[in-house]
Amino acid sequence: MSDFDFSVITANWHFLAEGLRYTLQVTVTAMIGGIFLGTLLALMRLSSIKPLQWFAAGYVNFFRSVPLVQVILAVYLILPLILQFVTGKLIPIGAENSAYFTFTIFEAAYYSEIMRSGIQSVPRGQIAAGYALGFTYGQTMRLVVLPQAFRNMLPVLLTQTIVLFQDVSLVYAIGATDFFGAADKITQRDLRPVEMYTTVAVVYFVICFALSRLVKRLQARIAIIR
Amino acid sequence: MNYHWDWQFFFQEADDGLKYYEWVISGLGWTTAVSLASLAVALLLGSVLGVMRTTPTRWLVAIGDAYVDVFRNVPLIIQLFLWFFVVPELVPEKMGIWMKQDLPYIVTAVVGLGLYTAARIAEQVKSGINALPRGQRFAGLALGFTEWQTYRYVRLPMAYRIVLPALTSEAMNIFKNSAVTYAVGILELYFQYKQIIEKTSQVLEITIVVTLAYFTLAFVMNRLLAFVEKRTRVPGLISGTGGK
Amino acid sequence: MRKSLTVLALSLSIAGLAAPAHAQLSGTLQKIKDSGTITVGHRESSVPFSYLDAEQKPIGYAMELCAKVVDAVKSELKMPSLQVKYQAVTSQNRIPLMQNGTIDLECGSTTNSVARQQQVGFSVNYFITSVRMAVRKDSGVKDIGDLNGKPVATTTGTTSDALIKQNEKGKAIDVKNIYGKDHADSFLMVESGRAAAFVMDDILLAGLIASSKNPADFAIVGPSLRDEPYGVMLRKDDAPFKALVDKTLIGLMQSGEAEKLYNKWFMNPIPPRNVNLNFPMSPAVKAAFATPSDKGVE
């Protein structure tokens, strides 16, 4: 208790920053990919074609029922087996790349629920108006419904992204070097958990707190315009 | 895929004398225990905090808000590590030693997971109370209720019913989040999942079994709360249109 | 019909005979050639075999042995610019990652056991360790018998409990297992007073003690619960690759280069903090170098 030594942080700052950069990369990739896939899933869920509805509902319920940390490990170990089955070759993917993939498909389930309620929040008349203008289904969705759904849901999407940013810390379970993974690796080497975990907690707090305040302000602005 | 399927291994003896399927069952037990205990902590503390944030007393609101800000903005795994590795070093030495040697790990895990989830439940409870018309409180006060009694008899019974769907998803979340407690020494389902992978390398079989187990837990929890929702539905409210 | 079968058999056997002449590649070597990369699995806190230095790069005795193997692969495949990738592994995921092709060889502190040989292959053994326990000197624990009723740390997947039970003095006692996710984690349990002992390979314990805040606070005590050989982990049934790895390692052992490497990592100051493990070569290790073998422990 007497000998806290925060030089362990300054000495390894560069490595921690690298980790933070990877965390941000995974967050942004999974956000873009997840919102894209999630929107497709939401459209499937709301379409009139039964098998598409079932697929989307099954996908979303599946990923919302299993722990993320288990999915991270399972994909890391199983995805290469599937690729081997398909291609007949051993294809190494690596922990870092595996995490990009896992977070994209996992977060898609959560983003899809948000996009679904976003689409449902658009008045039906808007769709009718789209068709009246001679738009196809695709055009109506792309040009009329989705932009509004997206804007209505922007604060919720961003809040989910903050959750995602925090969840990336779980990749340490497969040895990838995200911000927390970097901290954990230094802890394993230098045996200084108290200094390391405290610092990491403070950094996460500052970033997430600032982001969530920004989202709140954005929410207030959007609410006024609407 | 030259994967060697083998479902038999679940019935083989592991080196602690138990069979692998017994590891799964014991993991399932710990997962359920940690989750339910944390849920109880979270509901209790979350309700208190949620109520605090709707009172007219400013410092109560401030405490509630600060709590939610802190506990929502640090990842769960780090919160658990703080409770496990950091807190015992910061408290007086005797207490630290007690925490490390005598305090069962499940307590640390339940505190960590419970306090984390309480922040989320506080948000739900607050929004539930705020969703009620102001008149409900005034009506209570007009009847001679104290502020506390308006919560106890008028506002909370309604607020809980309104936020029950949201609480359902938090209750399901807690089962998923309990997987992270493996990192602080809880031998729950995910821990056993990892351990069985290490021992047998039968990745596919054990993934299927453990995934199904989590799926079942989520499903049971969902149905249970849907039942509660149905039983407590207030006639005449739009929100009471079914337990789906 | 019979004739055609004979012809088929003959042509097959000719093909089989002809194959070595064409140096037909298979398994890991083929994979390395196709992808242009070789992926080395390493540990993060297996001092001094495979661990991270001040720049978080994997280094160590096993890593140097593997570097020689990589050199041999380069010249075998005539690919001097072969790309080498590193992938951190843990004791939980190293075997599945070997099987699913994420790593091509694992250079850490993996015990070559008969049970594991069902799933993966091993090179000749390059180290022999004894399983003992690390304790805080002020804990008063001096032997296995002192552990009764106490919490004992172990790294997930390694079974100190089973080993304690197998020991004569350990038969009558009951310990409470607690699990670290890697060796450093388990050691932290002892350092912070959470666990009374950490049962593990003695050399790894020595490495952890050397890198702790106050090395003088700890001791390695008790009898050897078991002697275990370390080998480089490979994919199972990959004879050509195993032959290359074995040839390289045996060459190092016979030329005396392995002993030089041993002295560099076990008898001299090592990064990142320039501590000296002072761990002289045991008779068992000397024997392993003199008569290389890939026999696994039961």
Side-chain angles (χ1 to χ4, degrees), chain A residues 3 12 15 76-77 80-81 89-92 94-95 172 174-175 184-193, chain C residues 31 44-45 52-54 56 87 96-97 99-102 181-182 184-185 187-188 208 211-213 235 272-273:
Chain A
D3 56 349
N12 296 293
F15 188 63
Y76 183 39
L77 299 180
L81 292 177
K89 278 189 203 158
L90 289 173
I91 301 169
Y172 101 108
I174 54 170
D184 196 57
K185 281 175 198 206
I186 297 165
T187 307
Q188 299 284 320
R189 194 196 62 207
D190 294 350
L191 304 174
R192 290 238 168 233
Chain C
K31 172 179 178 259
E44 288 174 340
S45 58
L52 301 175
D53 69 4
Q56 314 294 337
Q87 176 71 57
L97 290 180
Q99 291 173 326
N100 77 17
T102 300
K181 73 181 181 322
D182 211 335
D185 237 19
F187 183 75
L188 275 174
L208 287 162
S211 46
S212 69
K213 274 174 255 177
R235 251 178 295 283
R273 267 190 295 275

Side-chain angles (χ1 to χ4, degrees), chain B residues 84 100-101 198-201, chain C residues 91 95 119 157 192-194:
Chain B
F84 192 77
K100 286 185 280 196
Q101 292 184 348
E198 155 148 32
K199 294 285 178 193
T200 69
S201 299
Chain C
S91 47
I95 292 178
Q119 291 166 337
S192 66
R194 250 176 215 286

